Amino acid sequence: MSKAQFPSLRMRRIRQTDWVRRMVAETRLSVDDLIWPIFIQDGKNQSESVAAMSGVNRLSIDLAVEAAKKAADLGIPCMALFPNTPADKRTKDGNEACNPENLICRATHAIKSAVPDIGILCDVALDPYTNHGHDGLLEDEIILNDETVEILAQQALNQVAAGCDIIAPSDMMDGRIGVIRETLEFAGHSDTLIMAYAAKYASAFYGPFREAVGSGDRLKGDKRTYQMNPANSDEALREIALDIAEGADMVMIKPGMPYLDIVKRVKDNFHIPTFAYQVSGEYIMLANAAEQGLMDRQSSIFESLLAFKRAGADGILTYFAIEAAEILNS
Ligand code: PBG
């Protein structure tokens, strides 16, 4: 260990110019780190702003294809698709999730046909399809686990048939990764990737997203019997271990910035591709603060994303993906 002390030791030497700061930077953000979540709606040539998320629009499939071209041109490796299901297709049991002609399947197929080189990630959960806004089957105020898992496996199979590359179960039912993996293997889809929303917390930060997919007003109660208690950290490691054992290729922590300690523990313990979701509430905190002139937009976006990398994330799902890629490419 060096015995250098001030004044022979001066930490500011490595910060004095741009070139030396770049030279000693320990983490870097790259376009390869970005996954871009988008919202899909019915129609043609439709781009409707999401009231709760300034700067984010729901796109009809034709415009989603254009958006995918733009993302691919910027070098973004992957997009995550979320549907705003028409009201008349939302039911108690969410069976629209298994319809091969649903919004997500049509969007996936259209994007993969036009832009084969961008990865498509599809969420597995019933909330965009149920009339009660829950991720699983609801009976007498209880979310049924095993019955839900059977449907989720069919939903996953449906999405893979449409061309989905990464299945991302966000429902937090027990045992679903194993059942989905087995179902995919049995159907011959042995190359499908699974990114488990392994540690997903019951969070207020999802509020704006629920408006975007139209599940917020419908939601009865909360999701605390399946999503995790924000107080817990060891429990996240148990969840991650289980999902890996059941066949997940990659894991995700969600929300992101308030849970960077979890990202770090997961990466340090499991050494598996680890992703974090900078969720809708985190997006609006930054976007709205910038809009009001309270913070510099570009540098706060960049800093927030770099923080994920520093904590150990291999990539970030972020609504800022396009903007961040533009900054990085310029
Ligand atoms: C659905 C799902 C949610 C999000 C991603 N998938 C909402 C929820 O669990 O209620 C939130 C994403 C965001 O807030 O940006 N299960």
Side-chain angles (χ1 to χ4, degrees), residues 3-193:
K3 294 222 179 78
Q5 281 182 6
F6 179 82
S8 52
L9 172 69
R10 288 178 185 270
M11 291 304 288
R12 288 182 54 193
R13 279 190 209 112
I14 57 172
R15 301 176 200 146
Q16 58 188 306
T17 57
D18 179 61
W19 66 262
V20 73
R21 288 191 294 269
R22 282 190 283 123
M23 201 170 81
V24 302
E26 297 173 44
T27 35
R28 276 169 231 280
L29 181 68
S30 121
V31 175
D32 296 333
D33 300 321
L34 305 171
I35 298 175
W36 185 31
I38 66 163
F39 300 107
I40 312 281
Q41 65 172 38
D42 244 339
K44 233 182 153 23
N45 198 26
Q46 299 288 314
S47 176
E48 192 185 327
S49 55
V50 177
M53 295 176 75
S54 176
V56 172
N57 285 29
R58 287 182 208 99
L59 306 175
S60 55
I61 292 172
D62 52 331
L63 297 188
V65 170
E66 294 309 309
K69 283 183 190 151
K70 182 173 181 186
D73 286 345
L74 284 164
I76 293 173
C78 183
M79 291 167 77
L81 310 184
F82 295 97
N84 186 299
T85 306
D88 62 329
K89 301 206 163 108
R90 296 183 197 237
T91 56
K92 186 164 182 283
D93 61 359
N95 52 7
E96 175 69 3
C98 301
N99 174 5
E101 290 296 315
N102 71 21
L103 265 177
I104 283 301
C105 291
R106 282 183 284 131
T108 300
H109 184 76
I111 293 173
K112 288 306 294 187
S113 310
V115 198
D117 291 338
I118 198 159
I120 294 295
L121 178 151
C122 293
D123 218 61
V124 174
L126 299 182
D127 55 323
Y129 309 100
T130 53
N131 55 17
H132 45 73
H134 278 288
D135 296 25
L137 297 174
L138 180 68
E139 212 167 280
D140 302 330
E141 317 275 289
I142 303 238
I143 301 296
L144 305 176
N145 192 87
D146 303 12
E147 294 81 348
T148 298
V149 169
E150 291 307 318
I151 299 183
L152 297 176
Q154 295 311 310
Q155 178 184 16
L157 209 48
N158 187 35
Q159 290 168 339
V160 172
C164 168
D165 301 295
I166 307 180
I167 285 295
S170 73
D171 54 283
M172 291 299 279
M173 297 300 119
D174 285 324
R176 88 276 204 222
I177 299 297
V179 173
I180 291 171
R181 176 55 84 205
E182 207 172 280
T183 305
L184 293 176
E185 285 290 327
F186 187 74
H189 298 298
S190 51
D191 286 337
T192 302
L193 294 152

Side-chain angles (χ1 to χ4, degrees), residues 82 123 125 127 135 170 197 200 205-206 209-210 223 227 254 277 279-280 319:
F82 295 97
D123 218 61
D127 55 323
D135 296 25
S170 73
Y197 283 76
K200 177 171 177 181
F205 289 83
Y206 308 149
F209 170 97
R210 290 179 189 165
K223 301 191 177 184
Q227 298 179 348
K254 174 181 176 200
Y277 199 144
V279 298
S280 55
Y319 300 98

